[in-house]
Amino acid sequence: MKYTEEHEWLRDEDGVIVVGITEHASEQLGDVVFVELPEVGADVTKDDEICVIESVKAASDILAPIDGEIVEVNDAIVDDPGKVNEDPQGDAWFFKIKPDDASQMDDMMDEAAYKAFIG
């Protein structure tokens, strides 16, 4: 698993990248009350704002961590945003992206580096 400085995690599943937010981000947001996901089939560019997540504390944009095509979204978290707080690094993934260039993940943090990053 890889991590971004924007508190997203990325997991490679046979060439398709599953993306969600970290447990740390979920804790910082507080109770999540709304999630808007990108459209399946959308071509996205790294750092595009492609999701909106709202909690009782704030609204945040989720950025595309890499270039690629959105191939699946997790409608379960739209129907029940609280799942993001319950299992942010498991069942509450946000979207799956088919990368244009998977090497964009090479410079991302591993778990140890991410833990050091968040202190």
Side-chain angles (χ1 to χ4, degrees):
M1 193 175 295
K2 295 286 192 167
Y3 298 86
T4 71
E5 291 183 359
E6 290 75 32
H7 308 286
E8 295 166 307
W9 57 261
L10 294 82
R11 183 178 59 232
D12 188 338
E13 291 185 353
D14 297 325
V16 173
I17 310 302
V18 183
V19 180
I21 65 169
T22 65
E23 192 170 316
H24 173 78
S26 171
E27 289 171 3
Q28 294 297 309
L29 284 166
D31 293 336
V32 175
V33 295
F34 175 80
V35 177
E36 181 180 300
L37 297 173
E39 295 288 326
V40 172
D43 286 316
V44 300
T45 302
K46 183 180 185 311
D47 296 331
D48 282 354
E49 296 172 357
I50 60 170
C51 298
V52 175
I53 183 169
E54 293 181 14
S55 72
V56 293
K57 291 182 180 177
S60 301
D61 293 316
I62 304 295
L63 306 179
I66 56 176
D67 301 342
E69 178 186 355
I70 303 298
V71 294
E72 188 176 347
V73 296
N74 186 359
D75 289 325
I77 63 171
V78 174
D79 296 338
D80 184 3
K83 289 180 184 289
V84 175
N85 297 110
E86 294 166 13
D87 192 13
Q89 294 188 213
D91 288 342
W93 55 274
F94 277 55
F95 55 86
K96 296 182 180 180
I97 186 168
K98 184 176 179 185
D100 290 342
D101 180 3
S103 71
Q104 286 182 311
M105 294 173 57
D106 291 349
D107 295 333
M108 293 181 185
M109 294 178 277
D110 61 16
E111 185 172 352
Y114 181 71
K115 285 184 176 178
F117 175 71
I118 61 174

